[in-house]
Amino acid sequence: MANLKELKTRISSVKSTQKITSAMKMVAASRLKRAQEAAEAARPYAERMERMMASLLDNPGSLEGAGKLLSGTGSDDTHLIVVVTSDRGLCGGFNANISRETRNRLLALTGENKNAKILCIGRKGREQLKTEFKNAIVDTYEGIGKAGVQFEEAQGVAVKIIEMFEAGEFDVCSIIYNKFISAITQEVTLRQIIPVQLADEDDEAETAVETGPSAIYEFEPSEEEILAKLLLSNLNVQVFRALLESSASEHGARMSAMDNATRNAGEMIDDLSITYNRTRQAKITSELIEIISGAEAL
Amino acid sequence: MADEVVNKVAFELVTPTALAISEDVDMVVVPGSEGDFGVLPGHTPILSTVRPGVINMYTDGVITKSLFVEGGFAEANPERCTVLAESATDVSDLSSSDTEARLSAAREAYSSADDEAKEAAEKELRIAEEMVRAAGGNSTLH
């Protein structure tokens, strides 16, 4: 049986671990609230933009001059996968789930003899993917969303994607991120952003906003020009949205991971305290027996 | 009753981080890239890009609110007018010292920009110039 002093140090070390995990849980909870609010605040913009795209694409003929962002390059040999993870760990399966999905996707693509490139957002994703896919990783962004996700950050990423697209470095671009369902559930989501998929809005209940009567619109400047700009902005919004969802998910995942850790630490402390008390009692009993039997011997 | 609805334009100004304005107004003037256009109730459906400039909201013939936007998109139809802007600032919150500082920074960036960055620098310069103009109008008002 472990001696008393050892048990005591273990109890105090588990206690301080518990303090840390419960503090991290609190921090994650408050960040989660903020991240969730930010995600909700961004929703109207995305909705209105979808509505505008819809009015624009309702117009016959606008699809023809749409350019490559909408219609694709005509091939799908090279894929770019934007992998959104966090910079920091201790958030349960949050990053591992993303890495697994990315890995499956990459293996499927190489199985079809297609090239794949990775753009990492978040340090953890890079760390988990670099051993296997070192050559596929094009670039890594770190420190995004440190003080809440900023639209400019999403724009920066989107600009990089566009630059690569225009340089012909890939044909299809998808983004993999954790979609926020609730504080304890996240769903790994793969969304194609180039060429733009217009039919994939079914998974969003929020797009149920009325698209309005499909009136004949006038365009200023030309239809093509507006569409080109709208598609670029739409890309920004898509990236922004993925980043926001991912950041809310991250804090949710961390919160529940830390909650579990705190609870486990509590159980461990209880177990250890029982052992400690039993050991202490046994020690006293044996001391008493020694004294009594010593007295009897006299 | 129907008249009341028709007499107002449901104006919305949306930025990526918030629904900045959602109000019924008599008229709104939007700086379209091909020229300013006013939206009254019953406006013909139009989609336009927006250049950096000031959006004015009118009720009872007076400007109730002026907002500076850095560009974006505007959609108008008979019932509503929606502007998507990447950022929007109330003109009364613009201070001329800040905007001047931004303008001089933009000028500097523009003159030192290489071919690649020229386009972005030019855009920033235009935004800064418009901002200064908006802030200038503001200071003479008060």
Side-chain angles (χ1 to χ4, degrees), chain B residues 3-135:
Chain B
D3 281 354
E4 259 179 24
V5 179
V6 175
N7 282 334
K8 292 272 184 186
V9 185
F11 174 65
E12 283 182 332
L13 177 63
V14 200
T15 66
T17 45
L19 182 60
I21 305 265
S22 178
E23 255 178 63
D24 286 347
V25 294
D26 286 342
M27 177 171 86
V28 55
V29 176
V30 181
S33 48
E34 311 265 282
D36 292 5
F37 61 92
V39 181
L40 285 161
H43 195 280
T44 175
I46 185 169
L47 261 175
S48 171
T49 49
V50 175
R51 62 177 162 80
V54 177
I55 295 179
N56 286 322
M57 294 158 62
Y58 289 81
T59 301
D60 297 329
V62 285
I63 300 179
T64 50
K65 220 173 250 176
S66 300
L67 294 126
F68 180 82
V69 292
E70 294 186 6
F73 306 93
E75 180 198 30
N77 65 23
E79 293 93 41
R80 59 164 189 259
C81 174
T82 311
V83 174
L84 297 184
E86 279 170 10
S87 84
T89 332
D90 202 313
V91 168
S92 56
D93 291 341
L94 291 175
S95 83
S96 44
S97 55
D98 286 354
T99 50
E100 292 285 355
R102 185 163 169 181
L103 180 60
S104 51
R107 278 202 179 118
E108 207 165 287
Y110 182 70
S111 55
S112 64
D114 51 13
D115 289 343
E116 231 171 83
K118 207 94 184 168
E119 205 178 320
E122 195 180 338
K123 196 176 153 202
E124 170 67 18
L125 187 62
R126 268 191 59 197
I127 293 174
E129 277 172 0
E130 285 300 327
M131 224 168 186
V132 168
R133 192 172 309 161

